[in-house]
Amino acid sequence: MTVAVVQFGGSNCDRDAVQALAHVGVDAERVWHEDGLPSDIDGVVLPGGFSYGDYLRAGAMAAHSPIMNDVRDAAEDGVPVLGVCNGAQIGCEAKLTPGAFTTNASARFQCESVYLRVENADTPWTAAYDEGDVVEIPIAHGEGRFEIADDRYDDLVAEDRILFRYCDADGNVTADANPNGSRGNVAGITGDHENVAVLMPHPERATLPDLGRSIDGQGVLSAFA
Amino acid sequence: MTTYTATVTVRLKRGVLDPEAETTKRALERLGFELEALRSADQFELDLDAESADAAADRADEMAERLLANPTIHDYDVEVTEA
């Protein structure tokens, strides 16, 4: 299986994603956005970074890059698509997933390790975990506060589309454990279909041994295996 | 065809937290100013040729809907004047 890691101008987690995927046994290659998606890919990663310098809003420009039409078509064909950090912002701006990731409540860029509680283990992205598991995966973002209209949020909850919520080390979802002011401590969600997911934390930074504080991110990337 | 200037103002919906505006407000207060609230907005001025002011407004409206604003968190308004 070959996963396309889409490289926009300003992406900077693309190589990390390729290496982390290789570590969990997934063949991946970087694809420059102007070249379009190869027709035979089996997965797509929208990596982290600062595409287009975060002009206008984080992810707004890349979301309208022509390659996103290919990504949308692939998603509709059931190909797994994962947006991480800037890729999550791009995913929401492209309406692959609902809501928006906007300025952290702190108004600061935050680069830190956080705990996440697995809310739904019945998706490809979380099948490696059990519901209620607490995983440690880092964040690095200035615009990670998840915002969504009240009725759409209720839909997300009712449809069990929340993958992870920020929590403390014991799995308690509290305001203190919410690093960025996200609605409902939401860190990651799925699109209309569960083959599409976005999350602000970086699983590729918690996959290679000896590199981060944990290898808890492997489970997310294993969705491509 | 007439040249119009469409001014698109994009602001956060009321009730959506604006940490940058809060930070700016606190900075003004540190300078000794008194104020109750501060709201910020982005403004875009678009020069465009159109058959009518309505046509210019429609085009600017679509630009706001598709890119300049994010309808999840933003409201916007469009004003058109002859350039």
Side-chain angles (χ1 to χ4, degrees), chain A residues 56-57 60-61 64 92-93 95 98-107 145 147-149 180-181, chain B residues 10 12-13 15-20 23 26 42 44 64-74:
Chain A
L56 198 60
R57 298 176 300 278
M61 297 294 172
H64 297 283
C92 282
E93 283 281 345
K95 297 189 169 63
F101 291 103
T102 188
T103 313
N104 293 348
S106 66
R145 174 170 55 100
E147 284 284 356
I148 191 167
N180 53 26
Chain B
V10 178
L12 284 169
K13 287 181 197 281
V16 175
L17 184 70
D18 187 346
E20 290 181 6
T23 304
R26 282 200 300 275
D42 289 326
F44 304 87
E65 198 67 39
R66 291 187 55 189
L67 180 64
L68 300 177
N70 180 338
T72 300
I73 50 174
H74 292 134

Side-chain angles (χ1 to χ4, degrees), chain A residues 117-138:
Chain A
R117 192 176 76 187
V118 178
E119 297 295 308
N120 176 4
D122 194 21
T123 78
W125 313 104
T126 49
Y129 314 109
D130 291 323
E131 189 176 318
D133 275 0
V134 177
V135 296
E136 186 175 8
I137 297 179

Side-chain angles (χ1 to χ4, degrees), chain A residues 5-222:
Chain A
V5 178
V6 180
Q7 197 185 14
F8 297 97
S11 297
N12 65 8
C13 299
D14 41 298
R15 288 167 195 262
D16 292 8
V18 169
Q19 285 209 13
L21 284 164
H23 187 77
V24 296
V26 176
D27 184 36
E29 62 186 53
R30 285 182 292 147
V31 173
W32 178 240
H33 70 103
E34 288 181 345
D35 296 338
L37 274 190
S39 56
D40 58 348
I41 49 97
D42 300 310
V44 178
V45 171
L46 303 173
F50 299 87
S51 58
Y52 298 88
D54 282 349
Y55 288 175
L56 198 60
R57 298 176 300 278
M61 297 294 172
H64 297 283
S65 168
I67 197 172
M68 290 306 292
N69 294 325
D70 299 348
V71 173
R72 197 170 286 109
D73 289 346
E76 282 170 12
D77 287 344
V79 170
V81 175
L82 175 67
V84 171
C85 197
N86 188 223
Q89 296 159 338
I90 294 168
C92 282
E93 283 281 345
K95 297 189 169 63
L96 288 172
T97 46
F101 291 103
T102 188
T103 313
N104 293 348
S106 66
R108 293 189 178 94
F109 189 93
Q110 288 173 250
C111 185
E112 60 202 51
S113 190
V114 298
Y115 295 103
L116 308 171
R117 192 176 76 187
V118 178
E119 297 295 308
N120 176 4
D122 194 21
T123 78
W125 313 104
T126 49
Y129 314 109
D130 291 323
E131 189 176 318
D133 275 0
V134 177
V135 296
E136 186 175 8
I137 297 179
I139 55 167
H141 59 242
E143 297 176 47
R145 174 170 55 100
F146 184 66
E147 284 284 356
I148 191 167
D150 291 346
D151 55 335
R152 304 288 313 269
Y153 178 78
D154 293 343
D155 289 346
L156 278 185
V157 173
E159 294 164 10
D160 221 0
R161 286 166 56 182
I162 297 169
L163 295 171
F164 298 104
R165 293 184 201 263
Y166 299 107
C167 66
D168 65 19
D170 299 321
N172 302 304
V173 175
T174 63
D176 281 348
N178 189 343
N180 53 26
S182 285
R183 178 72 188 266
N185 286 41
V186 169
I189 58 171
T190 61
D192 287 340
H193 299 286
E194 65 179 18
N195 62 303
V196 178
V198 296
L199 64 159
M200 290 308 299
H202 286 270
E204 80 282 7
R205 295 187 187 180
T207 290
L208 296 170
D210 308 322
L211 208 58
R213 288 164 57 104
S214 84
I215 53 168
D216 291 347
Q218 287 184 1
V220 175
L221 301 182
S222 298

